Amino acid sequence: MITIYHNPRCSKSREGVCLLEDNGIEFNTVKYLDEKISLEELTGILQKLNCKPIELVRTKEALWKESYKDQNLSDEELIKVMADNPVLIERPIIINGNKAVIGRPTERILEII
């Protein structure tokens, strides 16, 4: 089953949901701003994305710029910051089994469905 980590207020995230629906794909939705993501879950997502924690951070977010940008954070610290502040997590994230992509651009979702 495909899972999409979704922020309904984000246009790219909404486009990801539409792409899945338009292709007749069944999926689970995790509204990650409402449903807290655990450190373990976030670590698993990073492994499936095969990326470093900083690559999943929305570095243009005001919270990042104001509170974290100038800190030299370890990978573990970055994961904790994202778990504590899910608005900093890039979106949408689509997971299919052991594979995952960040749906930017939206067409990247097609790589794993």
Side-chain angles (χ1 to χ4, degrees):
M1 174 69 67
I2 290 178
T3 300
I4 182 169
Y5 286 79
H6 176 54
N7 175 356
R9 294 179 54 195
C10 171
S11 64
K12 291 294 182 191
S13 195
R14 290 191 307 268
E15 287 175 18
V17 168
C18 286
L19 185 139
L20 293 172
E21 290 173 344
D22 290 349
N23 282 280
I25 305 293
E26 289 186 32
F27 60 95
N28 293 320
T29 302
V30 176
K31 293 181 181 176
Y32 68 94
L33 294 178
D34 300 331
E35 304 169 30
K36 189 161 175 77
I37 299 176
S38 70
L39 294 173
E40 295 79 18
E41 186 177 3
L42 195 50
T43 299
I45 290 169
L46 286 162
Q47 290 171 345
K48 291 175 184 175
L49 287 167
N50 193 28
C51 72
K52 297 183 182 299
I54 191 64
E55 296 174 80
L56 193 57
V57 173
R58 294 179 54 81
T59 57
K60 294 181 181 172
E61 281 289 332
L63 175 63
W64 175 260
K65 291 177 182 178
E66 295 164 6
S67 301
Y68 301 104
K69 177 183 172 188
D70 296 323
Q71 296 184 27
N72 187 18
L73 301 172
S74 69
D75 286 352
E76 292 77 20
E77 290 169 326
L78 283 169
I79 293 168
K80 174 125 176 56
V81 165
M82 286 188 285
D84 291 344
N85 304 281
V87 70
L88 294 176
I89 299 172
E90 192 63 76
R91 63 203 180 236
I93 301 168
I94 297 78
I95 298 176
N96 187 3
N98 289 325
K99 297 179 182 180
V101 295
I102 299 170
R104 289 177 176 264
T106 305
E107 296 74 30
R108 291 205 59 217
I109 298 169
L110 297 172
E111 297 172 13
I112 65 166
I113 59 172

